[in-house]
Coordinates of all heavy atoms in Angstrom, one line a residue:
M1 N -80.2 47.9 -54.8 CA -79.7 46.6 -54.7 C -78.2 46.5 -54.5 O -77.7 45.8 -53.7 CB -80.1 45.8 -55.9 CG -80.9 44.5 -55.7 SD -81.7 44.1 -54.2 CE -82.3 42.5 -54.5
S2 N -77.5 47.3 -55.3 CA -76.0 47.3 -55.2 C -75.5 47.8 -53.8 O -74.6 47.3 -53.3 CB -75.4 48.1 -56.3 OG -75.9 49.4 -56.3
A3 N -76.3 48.8 -53.3 CA -75.9 49.3 -52.0 C -76.0 48.2 -50.9 O -75.2 48.1 -50.0 CB -76.8 50.5 -51.6
V4 N -77.1 47.4 -51.1 CA -77.3 46.3 -50.2 C -76.1 45.3 -50.2 O -75.6 44.8 -49.2 CB -78.6 45.6 -50.4 CG1 -78.7 44.3 -49.6 CG2 -79.8 46.5 -50.1
L5 N -75.7 45.0 -51.5 CA -74.6 44.1 -51.6 C -73.3 44.6 -51.0 O -72.5 43.8 -50.5 CB -74.4 43.8 -53.1 CG -75.5 43.0 -53.8 CD1 -75.3 42.8 -55.3 CD2 -75.6 41.6 -53.2
A6 N -73.1 45.9 -51.0 CA -71.9 46.4 -50.4 C -72.0 46.4 -48.9 O -71.0 46.5 -48.2 CB -71.7 47.9 -50.9
A7 N -73.2 46.4 -48.4 CA -73.3 46.5 -46.9 C -73.0 45.1 -46.3 O -73.0 44.1 -46.9 CB -74.8 46.8 -46.6
S8 N -72.6 45.2 -45.0 CA -72.2 44.0 -44.3 C -73.5 43.1 -44.1 O -74.5 43.6 -43.8 CB -71.6 44.3 -43.0 OG -71.7 43.2 -42.1
C9 N -73.3 41.8 -44.3 CA -74.4 40.9 -44.0 C -73.9 39.9 -42.9 O -74.3 38.7 -42.9 CB -74.8 40.2 -45.2 SG -75.6 41.3 -46.3
V10 N -73.0 40.4 -42.0 CA -72.5 39.6 -40.9 C -73.0 40.1 -39.6 O -72.7 41.2 -39.2 CB -70.9 39.6 -40.9 CG1 -70.4 38.7 -39.8 CG2 -70.4 39.1 -42.2
P11 N -73.9 39.4 -39.0 CA -74.5 39.9 -37.7 C -73.5 39.7 -36.6 O -72.8 38.7 -36.5 CB -75.7 39.0 -37.6 CG -75.3 37.7 -38.2 CD -74.4 38.0 -39.3
V12 N -73.5 40.7 -35.7 CA -72.7 40.5 -34.5 C -73.6 40.3 -33.2 O -73.1 39.8 -32.3 CB -71.7 41.7 -34.3 CG1 -70.6 41.6 -35.3 CG2 -72.4 43.0 -34.3
H13 N -74.8 40.8 -33.4 CA -75.7 40.7 -32.2 C -77.1 40.7 -32.6 O -77.5 41.5 -33.5 CB -75.4 41.9 -31.3 CG -75.8 41.7 -29.9 ND1 -75.1 40.8 -29.0 CD2 -76.9 42.1 -29.1 CE1 -75.7 40.8 -27.9 NE2 -76.8 41.6 -27.9
I14 N -77.9 39.8 -32.0 CA -79.3 39.7 -32.4 C -80.1 39.8 -31.1 O -79.9 39.0 -30.2 CB -79.6 38.4 -33.1 CG1 -78.8 38.3 -34.4 CG2 -81.1 38.2 -33.4 CD1 -78.8 36.9 -35.0
T15 N -81.1 40.7 -31.1 CA -81.9 40.8 -29.9 C -83.4 40.8 -30.3 O -83.8 41.4 -31.2 CB -81.7 42.2 -29.2 OG1 -80.3 42.5 -29.2 CG2 -82.2 42.2 -27.8
D16 N -84.1 39.9 -29.6 CA -85.5 39.9 -29.9 C -86.2 40.7 -28.8 O -86.3 40.3 -27.7 CB -86.0 38.4 -29.9 CG -87.5 38.3 -30.2 OD1 -88.1 39.3 -30.6 OD2 -88.1 37.2 -29.9
R17 N -86.7 41.9 -29.2 CA -87.5 42.7 -28.3 C -88.9 42.4 -28.3 O -89.7 43.0 -29.1 CB -87.2 44.2 -28.6 CG -85.8 44.6 -28.4 CD -85.7 46.0 -28.1 NE -84.3 46.4 -28.1 CZ -83.7 47.4 -28.7 NH1 -84.4 48.2 -29.5 NH2 -82.4 47.6 -28.6
R18 N -89.3 41.4 -27.6 CA -90.7 40.9 -27.7 C -91.8 41.9 -27.3 O -92.8 41.9 -27.9 CB -90.8 39.7 -26.8 CG -89.9 38.6 -27.2 CD -90.4 37.2 -26.9 NE -89.5 36.3 -27.6 CZ -89.8 35.0 -27.8 NH1 -90.9 34.5 -27.3 NH2 -89.0 34.2 -28.4
V19 N -91.5 42.7 -26.3 CA -92.5 43.7 -25.8 C -92.8 44.7 -26.9 O -93.9 45.0 -27.2 CB -92.0 44.4 -24.5 CG1 -93.0 45.4 -24.1 CG2 -91.8 43.3 -23.4
S20 N -91.7 45.2 -27.6 CA -92.0 46.1 -28.7 C -92.2 45.4 -30.0 O -92.4 46.1 -31.0 CB -90.9 47.2 -28.7 OG -89.6 46.6 -28.5
G21 N -92.0 44.1 -30.1 CA -92.3 43.4 -31.3 C -91.2 43.6 -32.4 O -91.5 43.7 -33.6
L22 N -90.0 43.8 -31.9 CA -88.9 44.1 -32.9 C -87.8 43.1 -32.8 O -87.4 42.6 -31.7 CB -88.3 45.5 -32.6 CG -89.1 46.7 -32.9 CD1 -88.4 47.9 -32.3 CD2 -89.3 46.9 -34.4
L23 N -87.3 42.7 -33.9 CA -86.1 41.9 -34.0 C -85.0 42.8 -34.4 O -85.0 43.5 -35.5 CB -86.2 40.8 -35.1 CG -85.0 39.9 -35.2 CD1 -84.7 39.0 -34.0 CD2 -85.2 39.0 -36.5
V24 N -84.0 43.0 -33.5 CA -82.9 44.0 -33.7 C -81.6 43.3 -34.1 O -81.2 42.4 -33.3 CB -82.8 44.9 -32.5 CG1 -81.7 45.9 -32.8 CG2 -84.1 45.6 -32.2
I25 N -81.1 43.6 -35.2 CA -79.8 42.9 -35.6 C -78.8 44.0 -35.8 O -79.0 45.0 -36.5 CB -80.0 42.2 -37.0 CG1 -81.1 41.1 -36.9 CG2 -78.7 41.5 -37.4 CD1 -81.4 40.4 -38.2
E26 N -77.7 43.8 -35.1 CA -76.5 44.7 -35.2 C -75.5 44.0 -36.2 O -75.1 42.8 -36.0 CB -75.9 44.9 -33.8 CG -75.0 46.0 -33.8 CD -74.4 46.1 -32.3 OE1 -75.1 45.8 -31.4 OE2 -73.2 46.5 -32.3
W27 N -75.1 44.7 -37.2 CA -74.2 44.2 -38.2 C -72.7 44.6 -37.9 O -72.5 45.6 -37.2 CB -74.6 44.7 -39.6 CG -76.0 44.4 -39.9 CD1 -77.1 45.2 -39.8 CD2 -76.6 43.1 -40.4 NE1 -78.3 44.6 -40.2 CE2 -78.0 43.3 -40.5 CE3 -76.0 41.9 -40.7 CZ2 -78.8 42.3 -41.0 CZ3 -76.9 40.8 -41.1 CH2 -78.3 41.1 -41.3
D28 N -71.8 43.9 -38.5 CA -70.4 44.2 -38.2 C -69.9 45.4 -38.8 O -68.7 45.8 -38.5 CB -69.5 42.9 -38.4 CG -69.2 42.8 -39.9 OD1 -69.8 43.4 -40.7 OD2 -68.3 41.9 -40.2
D29 N -70.7 46.1 -39.6 CA -70.2 47.5 -40.1 C -70.9 48.6 -39.2 O -70.8 49.7 -39.5 CB -70.6 47.6 -41.6 CG -72.1 47.6 -41.8 OD1 -72.9 47.4 -40.9 OD2 -72.5 47.8 -43.0
G30 N -71.5 48.1 -38.1 CA -72.0 49.1 -37.2 C -73.5 49.5 -37.4 O -74.1 50.2 -36.6
A31 N -74.1 49.0 -38.5 CA -75.5 49.4 -38.8 C -76.4 48.5 -37.9 O -76.0 47.4 -37.5 CB -75.7 49.1 -40.3
I32 N -77.5 49.0 -37.7 CA -78.5 48.3 -36.9 C -79.8 48.2 -37.6 O -80.3 49.2 -38.1 CB -78.7 49.0 -35.5 CG1 -77.4 48.9 -34.7 CG2 -79.9 48.4 -34.8 CD1 -77.4 49.6 -33.4
S33 N -80.4 47.0 -37.8 CA -81.7 46.9 -38.4 C -82.7 46.5 -37.4 O -82.5 45.6 -36.6 CB -81.6 45.7 -39.4 OG -80.6 46.0 -40.4
S34 N -83.8 47.3 -37.3 CA -84.9 47.0 -36.4 C -86.1 46.5 -37.3 O -86.6 47.3 -38.1 CB -85.3 48.3 -35.7 OG -84.3 48.7 -34.8
L35 N -86.3 45.3 -37.2 CA -87.3 44.6 -38.0 C -88.6 44.3 -37.2 O -88.5 43.6 -36.2 CB -86.7 43.4 -38.7 CG -85.4 43.6 -39.4 CD1 -84.7 42.3 -39.6 CD2 -85.7 44.3 -40.7
R36 N -89.7 44.8 -37.7 CA -91.0 44.5 -37.0 C -91.4 43.0 -37.2 O -91.4 42.6 -38.4 CB -92.1 45.4 -37.4 CG -91.9 46.8 -36.8 CD -93.3 47.6 -36.9 NE -93.7 47.7 -38.3 CZ -93.4 48.8 -39.0 NH1 -92.8 49.8 -38.5 NH2 -93.8 48.9 -40.3
H37 N -91.8 42.4 -36.1 CA -92.2 41.0 -36.3 C -93.3 40.8 -37.3 O -93.2 39.9 -38.2 CB -92.8 40.5 -34.9 CG -91.7 40.3 -33.8 ND1 -92.1 39.9 -32.6 CD2 -90.4 40.5 -33.8 CE1 -91.0 39.8 -31.8 NE2 -90.0 40.2 -32.6
G38 N -94.2 41.7 -37.3 CA -95.3 41.6 -38.3 C -94.9 41.7 -39.7 O -95.4 41.0 -40.6
D39 N -93.9 42.6 -39.9 CA -93.4 42.8 -41.3 C -92.7 41.5 -41.7 O -92.8 41.1 -42.9 CB -92.5 44.0 -41.4 CG -93.2 45.3 -41.2 OD1 -94.4 45.3 -41.3 OD2 -92.5 46.3 -41.0
L40 N -91.9 41.0 -40.8 CA -91.1 39.8 -41.1 C -92.1 38.6 -41.5 O -91.9 37.9 -42.5 CB -90.3 39.3 -39.9 CG -89.1 40.2 -39.7 CD1 -88.5 39.9 -38.3 CD2 -88.0 40.1 -40.7
R41 N -93.2 38.5 -40.8 CA -94.2 37.5 -41.1 C -94.7 37.7 -42.5 O -94.9 36.7 -43.3 CB -95.3 37.5 -40.1 CG -96.4 36.6 -40.4 CD -96.0 35.1 -40.3 NE -97.0 34.2 -40.7 CZ -97.3 33.8 -41.9 NH1 -96.6 34.3 -42.9 NH2 -98.3 32.9 -42.2
Q42 N -95.0 38.9 -42.8 CA -95.6 39.2 -44.1 C -94.7 39.2 -45.3 O -95.1 39.0 -46.4 CB -96.4 40.6 -44.1 CG -97.5 40.5 -43.1 CD -98.5 41.6 -43.3 OE1 -98.2 42.8 -43.1 NE2 -99.7 41.3 -43.7
R43 N -93.4 39.3 -45.0 CA -92.4 39.2 -46.0 C -91.7 37.9 -46.1 O -90.6 37.7 -46.7 CB -91.3 40.3 -45.8 CG -91.9 41.7 -45.7 CD -92.4 42.2 -47.0 NE -91.4 42.4 -48.0 CZ -90.6 43.5 -48.2 NH1 -90.9 44.5 -47.4 NH2 -89.7 43.6 -49.1
C44 N -92.3 36.9 -45.5 CA -91.8 35.5 -45.6 C -91.7 35.1 -47.0 O -92.5 35.4 -47.8 CB -92.7 34.6 -44.8 SG -92.2 32.8 -44.9
R45 N -90.5 34.4 -47.3 CA -90.3 34.0 -48.7 C -90.3 32.5 -48.9 O -89.7 31.9 -49.8 CB -89.0 34.5 -49.2 CG -89.0 36.1 -49.3 CD -88.0 36.6 -50.3 NE -86.6 36.2 -49.9 CZ -85.5 36.7 -50.4 NH1 -85.6 37.6 -51.4 NH2 -84.3 36.4 -50.0
C46 N -91.0 31.8 -48.0 CA -91.1 30.3 -48.1 C -91.9 30.0 -49.4 O -92.6 30.9 -49.9 CB -91.6 29.6 -46.9 SG -93.4 29.7 -46.7
A47 N -91.9 28.8 -49.8 CA -92.7 28.4 -51.0 C -94.1 28.7 -50.9 O -94.7 29.3 -51.8 CB -92.5 26.9 -51.3
A48 N -94.7 28.5 -49.8 CA -96.2 28.7 -49.6 C -96.5 30.2 -49.7 O -97.5 30.6 -50.4 CB -96.7 28.1 -48.3
C49 N -95.7 31.0 -49.0 CA -96.0 32.5 -49.0 C -95.7 33.1 -50.4 O -96.4 34.0 -50.9 CB -95.2 33.2 -47.9 SG -95.7 32.7 -46.3
T50 N -94.6 32.6 -51.0 CA -94.3 33.1 -52.4 C -95.4 32.8 -53.4 O -95.8 33.6 -54.1 CB -93.0 32.4 -52.9 OG1 -92.0 32.7 -51.9 CG2 -92.6 33.0 -54.2
Q51 N -95.9 31.6 -53.2 CA -97.0 31.1 -54.1 C -98.3 32.0 -53.9 O -98.9 32.5 -54.8 CB -97.4 29.7 -53.7 CG -98.6 29.1 -54.4 CD -98.3 28.9 -55.9 OE1 -97.2 28.6 -56.3 NE2 -99.3 29.2 -56.7
R52 N -98.5 32.3 -52.6 CA -99.6 33.2 -52.3 C -99.5 34.5 -52.9 O -100.5 35.1 -53.5 CB -99.6 33.3 -50.7 CG -100.9 33.4 -50.1 CD -100.7 33.6 -48.6 NE -101.8 34.4 -48.0 CZ -102.9 33.9 -47.5 NH1 -103.0 32.6 -47.4 NH2 -103.8 34.7 -47.1
Q53 N -98.3 35.1 -52.8 CA -98.1 36.4 -53.4 C -98.2 36.4 -54.9 O -98.8 37.3 -55.5 CB -96.7 37.0 -53.0 CG -96.7 37.5 -51.5 CD -95.3 37.4 -50.9 OE1 -94.3 37.5 -51.6 NE2 -95.3 37.3 -49.6
R54 N -97.7 35.4 -55.5 CA -97.7 35.2 -57.0 C -99.1 35.2 -57.5 O -99.4 35.6 -58.5 CB -96.9 34.0 -57.4 CG -95.4 34.2 -57.3 CD -94.7 33.5 -58.5 NE -93.3 33.7 -58.3 CZ -92.4 32.7 -58.0 NH1 -92.9 31.5 -57.8 NH2 -91.2 33.0 -57.8
S55 N -100.0 34.5 -56.7 CA -101.4 34.3 -57.2 C -102.2 35.5 -56.8 O -103.4 35.5 -56.9 CB -102.0 33.1 -56.6 OG -102.0 33.2 -55.2
G56 N -101.5 36.6 -56.3 CA -102.3 37.9 -56.1 C -103.0 37.9 -54.7 O -103.8 38.9 -54.5
Q57 N -102.9 36.9 -53.9 CA -103.6 37.0 -52.6 C -102.8 37.9 -51.7 O -101.6 38.1 -51.8 CB -103.6 35.6 -52.0 CG -104.5 34.6 -52.8 CD -104.5 33.2 -52.1 OE1 -104.9 33.0 -51.0 NE2 -103.9 32.2 -52.8
L58 N -103.6 38.3 -50.7 CA -102.9 39.2 -49.6 C -102.0 38.3 -48.8 O -102.3 37.1 -48.6 CB -104.0 39.8 -48.7 CG -104.9 40.8 -49.4 CD1 -106.0 41.2 -48.5 CD2 -104.1 42.1 -49.7
P59 N -101.0 38.8 -48.3 CA -100.1 38.0 -47.4 C -100.9 37.7 -46.1 O -101.9 38.3 -45.8 CB -98.9 39.0 -47.0 CG -99.4 40.3 -47.4 CD -100.5 40.2 -48.4
D60 N -100.4 36.7 -45.4 CA -101.0 36.3 -44.1 C -101.0 37.5 -43.2 O -100.1 38.3 -43.3 CB -100.3 35.1 -43.5 CG -100.7 33.8 -44.3 OD1 -101.8 33.6 -44.5 OD2 -99.7 33.0 -44.6
P61 N -101.9 37.5 -42.2 CA -101.8 38.6 -41.3 C -100.5 38.7 -40.5 O -99.9 37.6 -40.3 CB -103.0 38.4 -40.3 CG -103.7 37.2 -40.9 CD -102.9 36.6 -42.0
P62 N -100.1 39.9 -40.0 CA -98.9 39.9 -39.2 C -99.0 39.0 -38.0 O -100.1 38.8 -37.5 CB -98.9 41.4 -38.8 CG -99.8 42.1 -39.6 CD -100.8 41.1 -40.1
A63 N -97.9 38.5 -37.5 CA -97.9 37.7 -36.3 C -96.5 38.0 -35.6 O -95.5 38.3 -36.2 CB -98.0 36.2 -36.7
A64 N -96.5 37.8 -34.3 CA -95.3 38.0 -33.5 C -94.4 36.8 -33.7 O -94.8 35.7 -34.1 CB -95.7 38.2 -32.1
L65 N -93.1 37.0 -33.4 CA -92.1 36.0 -33.5 C -92.3 35.1 -32.2 O -92.4 35.7 -31.1 CB -90.7 36.6 -33.4 CG -90.0 36.8 -34.7 CD1 -88.6 37.4 -34.4 CD2 -89.8 35.5 -35.4
S66 N -92.2 33.8 -32.4 CA -92.2 33.0 -31.1 C -90.9 32.3 -30.9 O -90.6 31.9 -29.8 CB -93.4 32.1 -31.1 OG -93.4 31.2 -32.2
A67 N -90.1 32.1 -32.0 CA -88.8 31.5 -31.8 C -87.9 31.8 -33.0 O -88.3 32.2 -34.1 CB -88.9 29.9 -31.8
I68 N -86.6 31.8 -32.7 CA -85.6 32.1 -33.7 C -84.6 31.0 -33.7 O -84.0 30.6 -32.7 CB -84.8 33.4 -33.3 CG1 -85.8 34.6 -33.2 CG2 -83.7 33.7 -34.3 CD1 -85.1 35.8 -32.6
R69 N -84.5 30.4 -34.9 CA -83.5 29.2 -35.0 C -82.5 29.6 -36.0 O -82.8 29.9 -37.1 CB -84.3 28.0 -35.5 CG -85.4 27.5 -34.6 CD -86.2 26.4 -35.3 NE -87.3 26.0 -34.5 CZ -88.4 25.5 -35.1 NH1 -88.5 25.3 -36.4 NH2 -89.4 25.1 -34.3
P70 N -81.2 29.5 -35.6 CA -80.1 29.7 -36.5 C -80.1 28.7 -37.6 O -80.4 27.5 -37.3 CB -78.9 29.7 -35.7 CG -79.3 29.3 -34.3 CD -80.7 29.1 -34.3
V71 N -79.8 29.1 -38.8 CA -79.6 28.1 -39.9 C -78.2 28.1 -40.3 O -77.7 29.0 -41.1 CB -80.5 28.5 -41.1 CG1 -80.4 27.5 -42.3 CG2 -82.0 28.6 -40.7
A72 N -77.4 27.2 -39.8 CA -75.9 27.2 -40.0 C -75.4 28.7 -39.9 O -75.8 29.4 -39.0 CB -75.6 26.6 -41.3
D73 N -74.6 29.1 -40.8 CA -74.2 30.5 -40.8 C -74.9 31.3 -41.9 O -74.5 32.4 -42.2 CB -72.7 30.6 -40.9 CG -72.2 30.0 -42.2 OD1 -73.0 29.4 -42.9 OD2 -71.0 30.1 -42.5
K74 N -76.0 30.8 -42.3 CA -76.7 31.4 -43.5 C -77.7 32.4 -43.1 O -78.0 33.4 -43.9 CB -77.4 30.3 -44.3 CG -76.4 29.4 -45.0 CD -77.2 28.4 -45.9 CE -76.3 27.5 -46.7 NZ -75.6 26.6 -45.8
G75 N -78.4 32.3 -42.0 CA -79.4 33.2 -41.6 C -80.3 32.6 -40.5 O -79.7 31.9 -39.7
L76 N -81.5 33.0 -40.5 CA -82.4 32.6 -39.4 C -83.7 31.9 -40.0 O -84.2 32.3 -41.0 CB -82.8 33.8 -38.6 CG -81.7 34.6 -37.9 CD1 -82.3 35.9 -37.3 CD2 -81.0 33.8 -36.9
N77 N -84.1 30.9 -39.2 CA -85.4 30.3 -39.4 C -86.3 30.9 -38.4 O -86.1 30.8 -37.2 CB -85.4 28.8 -39.3 CG -86.7 28.1 -39.3 OD1 -86.9 27.2 -38.6 ND2 -87.7 28.7 -40.0
L78 N -87.3 31.7 -38.8 CA -88.2 32.4 -37.9 C -89.5 31.7 -37.7 O -90.1 31.3 -38.7 CB -88.4 33.9 -38.3 CG -87.2 34.7 -38.5 CD1 -87.6 36.1 -39.0 CD2 -86.4 34.8 -37.2
V79 N -89.9 31.5 -36.4 CA -91.1 30.8 -36.1 C -92.1 31.8 -35.5 O -91.7 32.6 -34.7 CB -90.9 29.7 -35.1 CG1 -92.2 29.0 -34.7 CG2 -89.8 28.7 -35.6
F80 N -93.3 31.9 -36.1 CA -94.2 32.9 -35.7 C -95.4 32.3 -34.8 O -95.6 31.1 -34.8 CB -94.8 33.6 -36.9 CG -93.8 34.3 -37.7 CD1 -93.1 33.7 -38.7 CD2 -93.5 35.7 -37.4 CE1 -92.1 34.4 -39.4 CE2 -92.5 36.4 -38.0 CZ -91.8 35.7 -39.1
A81 N -96.0 33.3 -34.1 CA -97.0 32.9 -33.1 C -98.2 32.2 -33.8 O -99.0 31.5 -33.2 CB -97.5 34.1 -32.3
D82 N -98.4 32.5 -35.1 CA -99.5 31.8 -35.8 C -99.2 30.4 -36.2 O -100.0 29.8 -37.0 CB -100.0 32.7 -37.0 CG -98.9 32.8 -38.0 OD1 -97.8 32.3 -37.8 OD2 -99.2 33.5 -39.1
G83 N -98.0 29.9 -35.8 CA -97.7 28.5 -36.2 C -96.8 28.4 -37.4 O -96.3 27.3 -37.7
H84 N -96.6 29.5 -38.1 CA -95.9 29.4 -39.4 C -94.4 29.3 -39.0 O -93.8 30.2 -38.3 CB -96.1 30.7 -40.2 CG -95.7 30.6 -41.6 ND1 -96.3 29.7 -42.5 CD2 -94.7 31.2 -42.3 CE1 -95.6 29.8 -43.7 NE2 -94.7 30.7 -43.6
E85 N -93.7 28.3 -39.6 CA -92.3 28.1 -39.2 C -91.5 27.7 -40.4 O -90.4 27.1 -40.2 CB -92.2 27.1 -38.1 CG -92.8 25.7 -38.4 CD -92.6 24.7 -37.4 OE1 -92.0 24.9 -36.3 OE2 -92.9 23.5 -37.7
R86 N -91.9 28.0 -41.6 CA -91.2 27.6 -42.7 C -90.3 28.6 -43.3 O -89.6 28.3 -44.3 CB -92.1 27.0 -43.8 CG -93.0 25.9 -43.3 CD -93.8 25.3 -44.3 NE -93.0 24.8 -45.5 CZ -93.6 24.4 -46.6 NH1 -94.9 24.4 -46.7 NH2 -92.8 24.0 -47.6
G87 N -90.3 29.8 -42.8 CA -89.6 30.9 -43.4 C -88.1 30.9 -43.0 O -87.7 30.9 -41.9
I88 N -87.2 30.8 -44.1 CA -85.8 31.0 -43.9 C -85.4 32.4 -44.3 O -85.8 32.8 -45.5 CB -85.0 29.9 -44.7 CG1 -85.5 28.5 -44.4 CG2 -83.5 30.1 -44.5 CD1 -85.1 28.0 -43.1
Y89 N -84.8 33.1 -43.5 CA -84.4 34.5 -43.8 C -82.9 34.6 -43.8 O -82.2 34.7 -42.8 CB -84.9 35.4 -42.7 CG -86.5 35.5 -42.6 CD1 -87.2 34.4 -42.2 CD2 -87.1 36.6 -43.1 CE1 -88.6 34.4 -42.1 CE2 -88.5 36.7 -43.0 CZ -89.2 35.6 -42.6 OH -90.6 35.6 -42.5
P90 N -82.3 34.6 -45.1 CA -80.8 34.7 -45.2 C -80.4 36.1 -44.6 O -81.2 37.0 -44.7 CB -80.6 34.6 -46.7 CG -81.9 34.1 -47.3 CD -83.0 34.5 -46.3
W91 N -79.2 36.2 -44.2 CA -78.7 37.4 -43.7 C -78.8 38.6 -44.7 O -79.2 39.7 -44.3 CB -77.2 37.3 -43.3 CG -76.9 36.3 -42.2 CD1 -76.1 35.3 -42.2 CD2 -77.5 36.3 -40.9 NE1 -76.1 34.6 -41.0 CE2 -77.0 35.2 -40.2 CE3 -78.5 37.1 -40.2 CZ2 -77.4 34.8 -38.9 CZ3 -78.9 36.7 -38.9 CH2 -78.3 35.6 -38.3
T92 N -78.6 38.3 -45.9 CA -78.7 39.3 -47.0 C -80.1 39.8 -47.0 O -80.3 41.0 -47.2 CB -78.3 38.7 -48.4 OG1 -79.0 37.5 -48.6 CG2 -76.8 38.5 -48.5
Y93 N -81.1 39.0 -46.9 CA -82.5 39.4 -47.0 C -82.8 40.2 -45.8 O -83.5 41.3 -45.9 CB -83.4 38.2 -47.1 CG -84.8 38.5 -47.3 CD1 -85.2 39.4 -48.3 CD2 -85.8 37.8 -46.6 CE1 -86.6 39.7 -48.5 CE2 -87.2 38.1 -46.8 CZ -87.5 39.1 -47.7 OH -88.9 39.3 -47.9
L94 N -82.4 39.8 -44.6 CA -82.7 40.6 -43.3 C -82.0 42.0 -43.4 O -82.6 43.0 -43.0 CB -82.1 39.8 -42.1 CG -82.9 38.5 -41.8 CD1 -82.1 37.6 -40.8 CD2 -84.3 38.8 -41.2
R95 N -80.8 42.0 -44.0 CA -80.2 43.3 -44.1 C -80.9 44.2 -45.1 O -81.1 45.4 -44.9 CB -78.7 43.1 -44.6 CG -78.0 44.4 -44.9 CD -77.6 45.1 -43.5 NE -77.2 46.4 -43.8 CZ -76.1 47.0 -43.4 NH1 -75.2 46.3 -42.7 NH2 -75.9 48.3 -43.6
E96 N -81.4 43.6 -46.2 CA -82.2 44.3 -47.2 C -83.5 44.9 -46.6 O -83.8 46.0 -46.8 CB -82.5 43.3 -48.3 CG -83.1 43.9 -49.5 CD -83.4 42.7 -50.5 OE1 -82.6 41.8 -50.7 OE2 -84.5 42.8 -51.1
L97 N -84.2 44.1 -45.8 CA -85.4 44.5 -45.1 C -85.1 45.7 -44.2 O -85.9 46.6 -44.0 CB -86.1 43.4 -44.4 CG -86.7 42.3 -45.3 CD1 -87.2 41.1 -44.4 CD2 -87.8 42.8 -46.2
G98 N -84.0 45.5 -43.4 CA -83.6 46.6 -42.5 C -83.3 47.9 -43.2 O -83.7 48.9 -42.7
D99 N -82.6 47.8 -44.3 CA -82.2 49.0 -45.0 C -83.4 49.7 -45.6 O -83.5 50.9 -45.7 CB -81.1 48.7 -46.1 CG -79.8 48.4 -45.5 OD1 -79.6 48.6 -44.2 OD2 -78.9 48.0 -46.2
E100 N -84.3 48.9 -46.0 CA -85.6 49.3 -46.6 C -86.4 50.2 -45.6 O -87.0 51.2 -45.9 CB -86.4 48.1 -47.0 CG -87.2 48.2 -48.2 CD -87.8 46.8 -48.5 OE1 -88.8 46.5 -47.8 OE2 -87.3 46.1 -49.3
S101 N -86.4 49.7 -44.4 CA -87.3 50.4 -43.4 C -86.5 51.5 -42.6 O -87.1 52.2 -41.8 CB -87.9 49.3 -42.4 OG -86.8 48.7 -41.7
A102 N -85.2 51.6 -42.9 CA -84.4 52.6 -42.2 C -84.8 54.0 -42.6 O -85.3 54.2 -43.7 CB -82.9 52.4 -42.4
Ligands
LIG1 ZN1 -94.0 31.6 -45.3

């Protein structure tokens, strides 16, 4: 966790590679996070998904990204092909997910 806090959470470039199903974020410290759409869907932290996980249910099936909406300078609101659009992904969380899968 402390390593994540020390890492940059300022994105300089965001690319949605739809064909390979990857959201690629380049950070201002030069690191690059390649996040799979399906993983992002399953790691959604909105109230409904958090509730689901707390009650021991399996996460929703993976889904591709269909839209990316910036949330001020805080992060991204990701919209998925299954219609789920409530997930807010702060930059710190996206960086954490990227470092985890690196
Ligand atoms: Zn959700």
Side-chain angles (χ1 to χ4, degrees):
M1 236 15 186
S2 54
V4 171
L5 290 174
S8 162
C9 293
V10 179
V12 289
H13 203 71
I14 298 168
T15 316
D16 180 17
R17 296 206 182 128
R18 298 209 171 193
V19 177
S20 41
L22 288 173
L23 178 68
V24 181
I25 303 175
E26 196 182 323
W27 306 97
D28 76 348
D29 63 358
I32 293 174
S33 300
S34 294
L35 306 162
R36 283 200 298 266
H37 289 181
D39 289 346
L40 288 166
R41 175 65 184 86
Q42 296 199 294
R43 302 292 295 272
C44 177
R45 294 201 299 190
C46 78
C49 293
T50 303
Q51 176 67 38
R52 214 181 149 93
Q53 282 155 30
R54 286 215 182 109
S55 64
Q57 294 179 65
L58 291 171
D60 285 314
L65 262 180
S66 59
I68 299 170
R69 301 171 181 154
V71 182
D73 58 354
K74 293 187 177 61
L76 299 174
N77 168 215
L78 301 179
V79 181
F80 294 91
D82 62 359
H84 195 68
E85 57 172 6
R86 299 186 58 189
I88 306 290
Y89 296 71
W91 298 126
T92 48
Y93 185 48
L94 291 166
R95 176 75 199 232
E96 192 183 314
L97 291 175
D99 288 351
E100 216 175 77
S101 62

